[in-house]
């Protein structure tokens, strides 16, 4: 007997029609294909986005659409393990996918983002789509770290622990599939900043330097992944799951209080 699946790609047309009689939510994982140091796989952002999407779908009674595996990753130019799209291309793809999902009846379309540089394209697209979609349809851009509190986030990603192929990302991938991580090559690297207060200038520098990662970290690692473990990753993913579920519930409350005109 065919098992019931939360994955849109594994459902038949009739099964989706049946789901839409009582459900209305679909999660679209959006990742990237880019280097993550000598130890993590190119699909790190996609692996995490897919895992978080599956966890949220089970909590929300949603379906999971096929992953979009390419992101806005030009900041990794110079490394061999990167293939990317422009922000305009990602925006058009997200627009088309969202429109088609809304057309068949989904009214909550969650764009679950696993790569930071995708955020501007996804967020602006979600806002601009509103007038093109059936009444009552919400397109919700959500990066998986959005549900974490400041103290939680600081343990996994940020100025103190690094932003790329670090302890947070590496541990999360270990929790999903430890066979794709080579911990023997997980070594720390932190950029040699020319000032102690580099954080305020970081955003402007980021946006003006398309190949910046190879300029600040020749290994591709930013942080210390050597302490990464599967157990830490499971804790990280659970915190992400719980935080995102609560965040989405609060978004619904805000939409109820301040309904679209």
């Amino acid at each position: 007997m065919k098992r019931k699946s939360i994955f849109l790609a594994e459902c038949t047309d009739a099964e989706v029609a049946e789901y839409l009689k009582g459900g209305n939510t679909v999660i679209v994982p959006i990742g990237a294909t880019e280097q993550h140091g000598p130890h993590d796989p190119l699909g790190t952002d996609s692996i995490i986005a897919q895992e978080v999407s599956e966890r949220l779908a089970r909590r929300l009674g949603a379906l999971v659409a096929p992953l979009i595996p390419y992101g806005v990753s030009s900041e990794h130019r110079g490394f061999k393990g990167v293939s990317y799209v422009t922000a305009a291309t990602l925006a058009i793809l997200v627009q088309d996918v969202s429109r088609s999902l809304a057309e068949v009846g989904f009214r909550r379309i969650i764009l679950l983002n696993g790569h930071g540089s995708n955020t501007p394209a996804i967020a602006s697209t979600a806002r601009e789509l509103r007038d093109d979609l059936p009444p009552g349809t919400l397109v919700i851009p959500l990066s998986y770290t959005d549900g974490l509190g400041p103290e939680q986030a600081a343990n996994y990603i940020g100025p103190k622990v690094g932003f790329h192929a670090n302890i947070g990302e590496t541990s999360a991938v270990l929790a999903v599939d430890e066979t794709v991580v080579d911990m023997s090559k997980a070594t720390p690297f932190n950029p040699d900043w020319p000032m102690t207060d580099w954080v305020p200038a970081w955003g402007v520098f980021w946006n003006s330097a398309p190949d910046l990662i190879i300029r600040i970290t020749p290994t591709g690692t930013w942080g210390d992944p050597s302490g990464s473990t599967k157990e830490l990753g499971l804790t990280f993913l659970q915190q992400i799951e719980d935080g995102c579920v609560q965040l989405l519930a609060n978004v619904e409350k805000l939409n109820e209080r301040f309904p679209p005109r």
Side-chain angles (χ1 to χ4, degrees), residues 46-101:
S46 295
I47 290 168
I48 297 173
Q50 179 74 25
E51 175 68 17
V52 173
S53 294
E54 293 178 27
R55 286 167 169 260
L56 294 181
R58 292 189 173 93
R59 294 280 294 272
L60 302 174
L63 296 182
V64 180
L67 169 81
I68 297 175
Y70 296 108
V72 184
S73 300
S74 63
E75 69 269 23
H76 293 274
R77 284 192 324 196
F79 290 100
K80 301 303 181 186
V82 57
S83 47
Y84 60 91
V85 297
T86 65
T89 297
L90 181 62
I92 291 171
L93 180 57
V94 169
Q95 288 170 13
D96 287 350
V97 169
S98 298
R99 285 194 188 100
S100 62
L101 289 169

Side-chain angles (χ1 to χ4, degrees), residues 28-47:
V28 183
I30 306 172
T33 302
E34 62 185 41
Q35 68 79 26
H36 274 77
H39 61 287
D40 272 343
L42 302 182
T44 288
D45 294 337
S46 295
I47 290 168

Side-chain angles (χ1 to χ4, degrees), residues 30 68 72 86-99 109 111 118-133 137-141:
I30 306 172
I68 297 175
V72 184
T86 65
T89 297
L90 181 62
I92 291 171
L93 180 57
V94 169
Q95 288 170 13
D96 287 350
V97 169
S98 298
R99 285 194 188 100
I109 302 168
L111 306 175
N118 292 342
T119 302
I122 295 172
S124 61
T125 298
R127 287 193 298 270
E128 293 163 3
L129 271 169
R130 179 192 150 189
D131 294 338
D132 297 340
L133 302 180
T137 303
L138 289 179
V139 179
I140 303 170

